[in-house]
Amino acid sequence: MFTMNDFVKEDNPVLRKVAEEVILPPSQEDKQILNDLMDYVRNSQNSEIATQYGLRAGIGLAAPQVNISKRMIAVHLKNEKGDLVSHALFNPKLVSHSLEMSYLTAGEGCLSVNRTVSGYVPRYARIKVSGTNLEGEVVKLRLKGIAAICFQHEIDHLNGIMFYDHINAEDPFDIPEDYIPIER
């Protein structure tokens, strides 16, 4: 099980590298890593387990955050309707996106960033993602709202991009009025 001790901090060069594709079918080691990523996200949302192990709560996690430069992510959250969105994917790809943009009104945070970063992060309002799950099945997802934002954040990690790279340096809270605000 991953704990906060396994996380690299934002100045670690692994977070700025483009992660390697996972060779499919995945090895047992890669399957275990992906399972452990998902376990962390689930466990971090359970207050009893999180307190016991000192876990910071998170809704998504990418392998580079635990110093593994491979294309793997885990996302576990409830969307705006209260439906569970829970996926552990090898080689996730953003297949398409809307022209319409959105942003998280509370801003974004990251388990690899131990400071508050103020500002809005512009994201696509709707996306399509494909990837391979632990059972070896190709999964195609249509996402919007918080789920779309989370997947974009985690896929960015696989491409060496941090969430604050998207914030307008001149005016961190400047967002065009036609962007969709997402509450969390």
Side-chain angles (χ1 to χ4, degrees):
M1 177 175 99
F2 291 123
T3 67
M4 291 308 300
N5 294 332
D6 297 301
F7 283 77
V8 297
K9 302 303 174 234
E10 66 182 294
D11 60 349
N12 190 303
V14 73
L15 292 174
R16 291 301 188 170
K17 286 174 52 178
V18 174
E20 296 175 21
E21 291 272 322
V22 175
I23 296 168
L24 300 176
S27 66
Q28 280 307 117
E29 179 184 3
D30 285 342
K31 285 182 179 181
Q32 186 61 56
I33 292 166
L34 188 53
N35 262 317
D36 289 347
L37 293 174
M38 181 57 85
D39 284 347
Y40 179 91
V41 180
R42 284 187 188 129
N43 289 339
S44 77
Q45 294 175 34
N46 177 312
S47 59
E48 190 176 303
I49 295 171
T51 300
Q52 180 180 354
Y53 294 101
L55 309 178
R56 270 178 61 198
I59 58 174
L61 184 58
Q65 293 180 266
V66 291
N67 207 22
I68 299 167
S69 191
K70 290 188 173 184
R71 300 185 80 80
M72 300 183 223
I73 65 169
V75 171
H76 186 79
L77 59 87
K78 289 211 172 157
N79 67 14
E80 292 77 9
K81 294 179 182 175
D83 298 328
L84 183 64
V85 178
S86 186
H87 297 279
L89 297 175
F90 295 108
N91 304 326
K93 288 181 179 59
L94 187 63
V95 176
S96 66
H97 59 79
S98 63
L99 294 177
E100 199 170 34
M101 301 293 287
S102 66
Y103 65 98
L104 200 55
T105 58
E108 293 184 26
C110 180
L111 292 168
S112 292
V113 178
N114 291 328
R115 62 188 172 98
T116 301
V117 179
S118 297
Y120 295 137
V121 180
R123 301 283 188 186
Y124 299 116
R126 292 175 310 285
I127 61 172
K128 289 182 186 174
V129 172
S130 71
T132 303
N133 67 16
L134 282 159
E135 290 74 41
E137 302 162 334
V138 173
V139 176
K140 295 182 184 199
L141 307 168
R142 295 171 63 106
L143 304 159
K144 65 180 184 175
I146 188 67
I149 288 172
C150 184
F151 270 85
Q152 288 171 81
H153 179 113
E154 301 312 329
I155 291 171
D156 270 357
H157 274 305
L158 304 181
N159 295 317
I161 300 167
M162 299 295 286
F163 75 94
Y164 48 73
D165 295 343
H166 296 290
I167 296 174
N168 180 339
E170 312 260 318
D171 185 357
F173 293 98
D174 178 47
I175 285 287
E177 59 186 64
D178 60 339
Y179 281 33
I180 299 169
I182 306 293
E183 305 287 330
R184 179 75 176 138

